[in-house]
Every structure is written in structure tokens, then in C-alpha cells.
Amino acid sequence: MIKGKIKAFILFAVLSHLQGIAQKTPQLGKDPIDKVINAMTPEEKASMLLGSEMHGATLDNQPRLLVPGAAGGTFPIKRLGIPAAVLADGPAGIRLDPKRPNDPKNYYATAFPVGTALASTWNTTLIEEVGRAIGNEVKEYGADILLAPAINIHRNPLNGRNFEYYSEDPLIAGEIAASYIKGVQSNGVGTSIKHFAANNQETNRLSINEHISQRAMREIYLRGFETAIKKSQPWTVMSSYNKVNGTYTSERKDLLSDILREEWGFKGFVMSDWFGGYESFESIGTTASNVIAQIEAGNDLMMPGMKLQHEKLVQAIKDGTISSVSVNNSIRRILETIIKSPVFKKYKYNNSPDLKAHAAITRQAATEGMVLLKNENNALPYSVSNLPVAVFGITSYNFISGGTGSGDVNEAYSVSLLDGLKNANYKIDQKLADLYIPFVQDEAKKESERREKSGGILAVPKKMPELELENSVIKEKANTCDIAIITIGRNSGENADRQISEDFYLAQDEISLLNKVSKAFHAQNKKVIVILNIGGVIETASWKDKVDGIVVAWLPGQEGGNSVADILSGKVNPSGKLPMTFVNDYNNHPSAANWLGTPASNPKDVSYEEGIYVGYRFFNTYGVKTSYEFGYGKSYTDFKYSNIKLSSTTFENEVTVSVTVTNTGSKAGKETVQLYLSAPAVLVDKPTHELKGFAKTNILKPGDSQTVSLILKIKDLASFVENKNAWIAEKGTYSVQLGSSSNDIRQSIEFNLNQENIVEKVHAAFRLDEQLKEMHSN
Ligand code: BGC
């Protein structure tokens, strides 16, 4: 009995002692963060600054806590109560492995429309809803931070990742991103706005050195980030792979600390892109990136985290060659984010998000992003008839829902155009479909095997050949069918840029199909509609006259076929507008002159000689004709603009512009009012007009009107003046132009700014390097 008591006493004493020790170890969330940081060993500190995936620093032998298919995670330190936050790709939905070993359950995610499609909606409320749905899947699949949105500017149409990005214009990019972030983060999960900044080509993406003026950085390449970050505070920012003016963005203090944090007030942490700061993939296993410079610049987390980086950091922390203040600041920012995350809150995710509800959202978003480029003699909408539809083009049968690479979502299904038409009760010419289907299946199989062998998700997608149809077959279809639909498809993705021939321009087999079908169907007085199932711009000028209707469906996500049918049938009146220009000729783009950089055989340097004159800023200012201009998109109805008003003709703190939009046609529809501003250009040259606001109306019934108001703030009037390091609004007369596209201005009005206004003095950044100086002196 006494022995038993002694035993119990000893046990009690040991437990209390252990508890005492445990209490002394600070715990994240219970103790001040700085106490937790101070309790870390140099090894643990280094681990916190690196992703947990590959650096092998399994300090306390914990299993990796990642969700299968997630891109990476932060490092867990159990003894300090720090869990691993899971980082998963986007942007078109969460990217995860749909299958897990020894698990019969599927983990499919919803494939939403790609970035260009979302931007084409010009509907920030809708994008917030898309974000909410995506964020719900992030949360319910056990992830903490979505690696999205991606908002680099479409400097050139051949960028292989333009489909993930939004626009050639920073205002639309920034506004769409802000809404997306708000939506995702409303679930209590984070985002990572990427790729910060000027990640405008995939070729040599790990080493390319972009030479960009401070003004172009500020006005074009950073402005969208600035808007999104100020409006919606993403939890994290992902720095880009490229260099700007000689230095990796992940090593630029001016970018990551002075601008991002001091000027814009960003509160979260910055992570690198995967292996950002390494010169090449070959160097990854044998060197460390310049982690010290990255941390000192304010790049807090290096992804995915490599063993050699760990060694380098541990050494630097021990011998003081890295500032302990910078190290602790970075860790603090990471921990402050982890505390907010579902994993820290031990959220019980259900692995069963409501995919059905999300399918309805993606269908609606894709439909609203579709752009009607041409509608000769009201060829559309096209009602269901007794005669069949002749469906041409291999892409009709193998519709592309999204691009390749990290932005590719693993969805449960994807609705092809054929199925979408059938679902909408259109009668299809089955004999024609039967010719296509086996051919397409065979080609698709070959293509997927080829990709599997040559790099998996990073393999470059190739255009598949068109089925060669006998003339007699096409003629027969023109006799027996009511209408022809031809889909032209393009896919692209991470790690490679698009090509000029057989990609930007149509390939010969596509031209021949278009020619033959148009000739045969027009001979029978029947219409030909082209669906563009593309992620970025293709050439349209040379063939658009041959067809009656053109719909840009983009890469519309998993409900694509249904969304197209909604437009074709008129169930939804198209209201998408182009967030970029469709040029007449690829070489019309000023960036074409130095696209991919020099030397051409293995580009190292790219000079952004066009400065701020990107997209419509260039075409409009220099009077270059385009095939379809920025902001363009037709409707099945017409809108009249009237009664433009200003709150004041003298600018004080802000000015409100209002206009009444009336549906003067016969179908209900929505219109996007675009506000372009022409500013006085005495101090510096300026584009003739720049987008400074937009608003989408509600659905207006025929005869209905809505008055929309747009507010201009002083920064909207300002340009960046390099020699003063300041945003300056020049005094003088400003012309406000409201239009239905950048070339279709319907109403304008003027106001005055009576005095020059130095809106914001900022840090000197992106100092000109030798190449830029030379560029400027020429
Ligand atoms: C891409 C990022 C992506 C990351 C993680 C990189 O190759 O550039 O956009 O988030 O991989 O998968």
C-alpha cells in the first residue's frame, strides 16, 4: 500500500517536472510570436524560411503533412506548436491529385474558366463569387493557401501563360484579382498573388533579365498588383522567376520591401516561385540560391526548399552573415499567416465540397466571359431546329477546358462542345460526329502519351492535326444541315511560349477547313459560326470575313460546352469584352521587335523598348488598326449612352462621372461601360487614353435604362514621372471618354485640374542598368 503511494508520488513528481519543461517551450498562438522565434535553434529558423517539401530537413522526423497533389508546404515544428500550412496551385481552381493510393474516393476539383475568361466578364461581383467557390474547395480539401491569382500583364500575345493572366491593362487585372482574392479569402484561407513581377515570358524563365524603365514598372507591370494588394490584402505574394534590370525579383529589396510593404502596406509574407533565384534547373541540386540576398530583400519563404539552401542559411545564421533582424522578421511574417490558417485552427475539412453548386458557378462565369466578335446579319442566336448542326473541327470533340502546367485543374469531367449542343437539345449530324470521334480519340491519346514522355505537366501542348474531310462530305453536310460550327482550339502552358506559325496564325489544315466549309455552306445560303477555344489571342483578320459569327469561348472550365450552348442559343446574351487587343498582324505589337530577347539562340536579356505603350495604349496612340480592339464585344441587343454628367468641372478631391445606359434593342442584356481618360501631357508623354474605370450594368430589359457612376481619384489622373520619383497629376484639361470599347467612345466630357498635384513621392527603384541607359539614349 505504502509502496503504491510512493510510486504514485514519484509518477506525479516526474509528470509535473515534464509539464514544467513543456510549459517553458513557447507555443505558437499561446505565447508571443517573438518568444516562439527566440526558442528556435538556427536549424529550425532556417527550416521555417524554406518550404518543407524537398529540403530534407526533417528535424523532428514528422511525416509530411501535405495534401496529395499540393504544390508544397511550410515547415512544421511540433515542439513549438507550429503546423505545416499547405500550399496548393491555382488559379483556375485548386490543383490536387484526384486519386489517392488505396482510397476509392475521388478528390476532383472544379475547373473554373481561366484568367483571360474571368477578366472578359468585367464583372467583379461574379468573380468574387467564383473566388468564394474556389476558396471553399481549398478549405474543404485541407489546404491553407491557394497559389493564385496570377496577374502578369499580357505584354505580348505569345506568352505561354497569358491564359492564366488577365489582361494587357493593369486596371482590369488589378480589379479582377482583388475580387478573386476577396472571394477566396472570405473562406478563411489565403491566396498568393503571383508572379511579382514582370514575369512576361516562359522562355528561359529562370534566368531571363528584363530591362524595364521605372515608369513602365510602376504604371504597367506593378499597378495591377498595387490595386489588388491595397484592396484585398492577399495573405501572401509570390515573387517571380525573372530578373528585373539585372537582379532577381526575389532579391530586390526595392520591390519586396520598399514598394510592396512600405508604400503599399502589404502585411503578409512573400514566397519565391518554385526554385526562384536558381539560374537553371540543372543548378538546383548542386547549388543554393542566393538565399541570404532573398531574405534580406524581404522574400520570406523559399519554395520548395532545398537542402543546400538549408545548410547555407544555418551557417549564415550561426556566423551572423545574415541579419538576425531580417531572419526574425521573415519568420514572424510566416507565423502570423500560419496562425490565421485552417490547419492551425484544426479545421475539420470534409473532403466533399459541393461540386455541383460550383459547376453552376463555373458555367455562369464562363458564359459571361465569352466574347461575341462577329455576328453578321444576326446569325446568332441560333434556335434549335429540325435540321441538324454540322460540327466541324477536332476541338469541337475534344474541347479544352484549361491550360497546362501548374494551372491545370484535375476536374471530374469536361463538357465538350458536342455534348453542350446536345444538352441544349440541338440536333447534331451524327454521321459527321462519327467520322470525327475515333480520329480525335486516337490523336488525343497520342498527344497525351507524347506529353507523358516529354515532361508530364510541363510538356508543351501541341496542336493536333485536323481531320481531312473530302469535299463531297462537306458539300453533303451543307445540303443536309442547317448551320456549320467550326471550333479552332489552342492550348499552352507553363515552361514554354507560343509560336507565331500554326499557333498565333492558323495552320494550313485549319485554313483549308474554314475555306471549304464556308464555301459549301454559303453556297447553300447557310451560316458558318466559329468558336475560338483559346487561352490567348490568335490572328483573325485574314479569315474573319469568311464566316458569319465568331465567339471567343476562351478555355472555359469544365462546363465549357454548356456555356457555349448558352450563348449560341441566346439563353444568355453575350456580354464579355476583350481584356486585350486582337491585332491584325503579330508584328504590330511593339514588343514583337524584341520578343524573347537576345541572343535569339538562347535569350538572356529583353529590353522593354515600348515602355508604357503596351496593348491598346500603343495601338490607339499610334493609330495602328486592329482586328478587334481592347474592350470590344458584341451583344444580341444595342445600348445607347446618354446624359453624361460630372459632379464638378473642376477636380477637387475626386470627381464622379455618371451616364445613363439604355437597352434600345429587342433582347435583355448587360453592358460594360468603360471609362477612358486623356490627360494633359506636358511633363511626360502619355497614351491618348487609358482605362481608369468600368462598370457592368444589371440585366437591362429592352427599353430599360440604368445610370452608372464612376469615381476618379487623384491617383487616376497621375502618371509616373521618373526624374521626380513621383506620381504627378498634371494641371490642365482632362477628357473623360465613356465607351463600349476603347475605339467606340459614346460620350465625353471635360474637367480641369487647376494645379499640378504631386500625388505620391515614392522610393527610387529599378535603377537603370547599362542596357537601359543605352536604350534611353537611343
Ligand atoms: C509556377 C507557379 C506555381 C508553382 C508551384 C511554378 O512552376 O510558376 O505558378 O504556383 O510552380 O506549382
Side-chain angles (χ1 to χ4, degrees):
M1 179 76 172
I2 291 188
K3 248 186 175 180
K5 271 194 175 164
I6 292 173
K7 259 192 189 165
F9 179 76
I10 292 172
L11 191 67
F12 177 75
V14 170
L15 281 177
S16 312
H17 179 69
L18 286 178
Q19 211 177 357
I21 292 175
Q23 269 170 3
K24 274 193 209 127
T25 309
Q27 296 296 298
L28 184 65
K30 296 200 180 107
D31 297 291
I33 285 188
D34 284 334
K35 258 193 152 172
V36 177
I37 298 174
N38 287 338
M40 287 178 188
T41 63
E43 286 76 11
E44 286 172 330
K45 284 193 172 183
S47 293
M48 282 310 303
L49 301 170
L50 300 169
S52 68
E53 236 328 55
M54 295 187 200
H55 71 335
T58 47
L59 284 178
D60 40 10
N61 286 329
Q62 290 168 64
R64 293 198 174 121
L65 300 174
L66 295 182
V67 174
T74 60
F75 190 81
I77 306 177
K78 211 170 171 188
R79 69 178 196 93
L80 300 173
I82 305 172
V86 174
L87 319 176
D89 262 309
I94 180 168
R95 177 180 169 78
L96 295 175
D97 290 344
K99 308 265 184 208
R100 297 180 188 170
N102 308 320
D103 182 349
K105 194 179 152 47
N106 294 319
Y107 297 83
Y108 290 116
T110 306
F112 289 87
V114 298
T116 43
L118 294 182
S120 302
T121 67
W122 299 62
N123 184 339
T124 50
T125 316
L126 179 62
I127 302 309
E128 198 171 326
E129 197 183 336
V130 168
R132 263 198 300 278
I134 296 177
N136 172 263
E137 294 188 19
V138 173
K139 190 169 185 184
E140 294 306 344
Y141 276 137
D144 299 287
I145 295 172
L146 182 74
L147 304 171
I151 76 157
N152 295 101
I153 292 292
H154 295 192
R155 170 178 181 249
N156 183 287
L158 301 184
N159 179 356
R161 290 185 89 171
N162 274 355
F163 71 94
E164 291 184 67
Y165 306 146
Y166 295 130
S167 175
E168 67 190 23
D169 178 86
L171 175 76
I172 176 100
E175 293 292 339
I176 297 290
S179 303
Y180 179 106
I181 292 166
K182 256 189 225 157
V184 173
Q185 293 192 168
S186 68
N187 292 279
V189 296
T191 54
S192 192
I193 191 170
K194 67 189 185 184
H195 308 91
F196 193 56
N199 191 167
N200 300 315
Q201 70 182 56
E202 288 300 292
T203 305
N204 287 349
R205 63 177 178 164
L206 287 181
S207 56
I208 197 76
N209 187 6
E210 323 256 6
H211 301 271
I212 314 176
S213 71
Q214 188 175 182
R215 180 174 179 200
M217 280 303 285
R218 294 273 185 180
E219 289 188 20
I220 306 292
Y221 298 105
L222 296 185
R223 193 79 168 108
F225 284 99
E226 177 179 359
T227 303
I229 285 163
K230 285 181 174 169
K231 279 197 155 177
S232 61
Q233 277 292 338
W235 288 12
T236 77
V237 167
M238 187 190 293
S239 56
S240 56
Y241 282 130
N242 53 286
K243 297 171 186 161
V244 172
N245 300 349
T247 308
Y248 279 116
T249 56
S250 62
E251 297 174 16
R252 289 206 77 107
K253 182 174 166 296
D254 53 3
L255 182 68
L256 303 184
S257 294
D258 302 350
I259 294 178
L260 179 64
R261 293 185 160 109
E262 277 188 40
E263 291 178 17
W264 300 350
F266 173 65
K267 299 278 185 294
F269 74 81
V270 176
M271 71 177 85
S272 73
D273 199 345
W274 270 233
F275 308 109
Y278 282 90
E279 282 281 330
S280 65
F281 274 113
E282 292 71 50
S283 67
I284 287 167
T286 51
T287 59
S289 65
N290 199 353
V291 275
I292 296 170
Q294 288 173 309
I295 297 287
E296 300 281 16
N299 193 112
D300 310 301
L301 179 69
M302 259 55 62
M303 291 305 295
M306 299 300 288
K307 203 171 174 159
L308 289 174
Q309 290 176 313
H310 191 255
E311 284 169 14
K312 195 164 166 179
L313 269 175
V314 170
Q315 193 55 43
I317 293 171
K318 284 184 178 164
D319 64 22
T321 43
I322 187 166
S323 124
S324 61
V325 173
S326 304
V327 167
N328 292 352
N329 281 346
S330 285
I331 298 176
R332 189 178 312 109
R333 292 193 281 248
I334 294 168
L335 293 180
E336 277 166 356
T337 304
I338 290 178
I339 281 187
K340 296 193 283 190
S341 65
V343 68
F344 184 78
K345 294 180 177 163
K346 301 197 168 53
Y347 178 70
K348 296 256 174 306
Y349 51 94
N350 63 20
N351 271 329
S352 296
D354 189 349
L355 298 183
K356 222 168 162 197
H358 297 170
I361 297 173
T362 182
R363 177 172 177 166
Q364 189 197 348
T367 307
E368 186 143 345
M370 291 186 184
V371 185
L372 180 64
L373 293 184
K374 177 168 182 177
N375 195 17
E376 200 72 13
N377 297 323
N378 297 327
L380 295 175
Y382 169 69
S383 315
V384 170
S385 97
N386 280 334
L387 289 178
V389 177
V391 181
F392 294 97
I394 56 160
T395 311
S396 295
Y397 299 85
N398 189 32
F399 220 57
I400 310 164
S401 55
T404 64
S406 55
D408 189 8
V409 177
N410 292 311
E411 68 271 31
Y413 64 87
S414 171
V415 181
S416 72
L417 179 66
L418 191 76
D419 291 338
L421 293 173
K422 283 184 184 164
N423 293 343
N425 292 325
Y426 285 107
K427 211 169 143 195
I428 300 300
D429 187 296
Q430 194 57 44
K431 279 201 183 139
L432 181 59
D434 290 343
L435 288 178
Y436 268 104
I437 291 168
F439 176 80
V440 170
Q441 281 170 347
D442 195 40
E443 287 300 327
K445 188 162 167 257
K446 277 197 260 170
E447 167 66 357
S448 104
E449 285 167 1
R450 186 194 65 76
R451 296 198 63 228
E452 204 50 53
K453 275 194 214 131
S454 54
I457 66 159
L458 289 187
V460 186
K462 252 184 152 173
K463 174 197 163 297
M464 292 194 276
E466 277 300 334
L467 171 65
E468 221 173 289
L469 292 164
E470 301 282 329
N471 264 333
S472 57
V473 174
I474 299 178
K475 277 193 183 148
E476 188 214 315
K477 299 306 159 198
N479 269 326
T480 56
C481 295
D482 206 21
I483 191 167
I485 295 182
I486 308 175
T487 305
I488 304 283
R490 289 289 182 272
N491 204 355
S492 71
E494 197 178 341
N495 215 25
D497 292 302
R498 294 177 53 205
Q499 302 296 314
I500 297 179
S501 78
E502 305 214 334
D503 186 348
F504 184 79
Y505 290 98
L506 295 192
Q508 201 47 54
D509 56 1
E510 293 166 326
I511 297 174
S512 150
L513 179 70
L514 267 174
N515 286 343
K516 286 185 192 165
V517 172
S518 308
K519 200 166 160 215
F521 277 72
H522 286 158
Q524 301 289 333
N525 246 336
K526 291 175 181 171
K527 313 261 191 226
V528 179
I529 308 295
V530 170
I531 310 295
L532 297 179
N533 183 199
I534 55 180
V537 177
I538 66 166
E539 185 269 340
T540 51
S542 67
W543 56 266
K544 64 183 178 185
D545 290 343
K546 296 178 186 167
V547 300
D548 306 279
I550 307 175
V551 176
V552 186
W554 303 119
L555 306 180
Q558 68 184 46
E559 287 283 327
N562 287 335
S563 301
V564 177
D566 287 343
I567 293 288
L568 296 180
S569 65
K571 186 174 161 198
V572 178
N573 190 346
S575 65
K577 304 260 187 186
L578 295 178
M580 81 296 276
T581 310
F582 274 51
V583 281
N584 276 333
D585 183 310
Y586 167 73
N587 287 307
N588 288 161
H589 273 280
S591 59
N594 50 34
W595 173 240
L596 296 181
T598 52
S601 56
N602 186 19
K604 290 189 166 52
D605 294 280
V606 188
S607 297
Y608 284 37
E609 281 170 6
E610 70 282 358
I612 59 159
Y613 294 95
V614 175
Y616 71 91
R617 284 174 167 76
F618 174 75
F619 302 121
N620 288 355
T621 307
Y622 290 91
V624 179
K625 289 234 168 353
T626 59
S627 186
Y628 297 108
E629 74 272 13
F630 177 84
Y632 177 88
K634 291 174 84 73
S635 163
Y636 296 150
T637 190
D638 296 307
F639 297 99
K640 193 180 112 209
Y641 288 49
S642 61
N643 211 13
I644 188 168
K645 275 199 195 119
L646 279 177
S647 55
S648 160
T649 51
T650 307
F651 191 95
E652 298 293 345
N653 288 325
E654 58 180 45
V655 70
T656 304
V657 190
S658 62
V659 73
T660 302
V661 179
T662 307
N663 183 345
T664 55
S666 57
K667 298 211 159 53
K670 299 181 192 175
E671 166 72 332
T672 298
V673 175
Q674 302 159 37
L675 187 162
Y676 296 93
L677 192 67
S678 297
V682 181
L683 270 181
V684 285
D685 57 298
K686 288 176 194 168
T688 49
H689 58 273
E690 295 184 271
L691 185 75
K692 295 293 177 183
F694 61 90
K696 196 156 190 171
T697 66
N698 305 325
I699 297 183
L700 299 177
K701 293 206 203 79
D704 276 4
S705 296
Q706 185 182 341
T707 298
V708 302
S709 296
L710 293 158
I711 297 173
L712 288 171
K713 304 246 193 235
I714 188 71
K715 191 149 177 191
D716 299 322
L717 276 53
S719 296
F720 191 80
V721 181
E722 289 187 348
N723 58 16
K724 304 212 165 131
N725 269 324
W727 288 90
I728 298 180
E730 294 196 47
K731 79 166 188 216
T733 304
Y734 289 75
S735 160
V736 177
Q737 297 158 29
L738 298 181
S740 184
S741 83
S742 57
N743 281 353
D744 184 7
I745 301 302
R746 304 288 183 86
Q747 294 244 289
S748 50
I749 200 162
E750 288 179 353
F751 65 81
N752 281 305
L753 180 68
N754 289 337
Q755 250 183 8
E756 177 181 295
N757 189 323
I758 300 182
V759 180
E760 219 180 311
K761 270 239 163 235
V762 295
H763 292 91
F766 314 112
R767 233 163 28 89
L768 294 192
D769 56 11
E770 287 314 309
Q771 182 146 347
L772 267 176
K773 278 186 200 152
E774 203 175 300
M775 194 168 99
H776 277 235
S777 64
N778 287 335

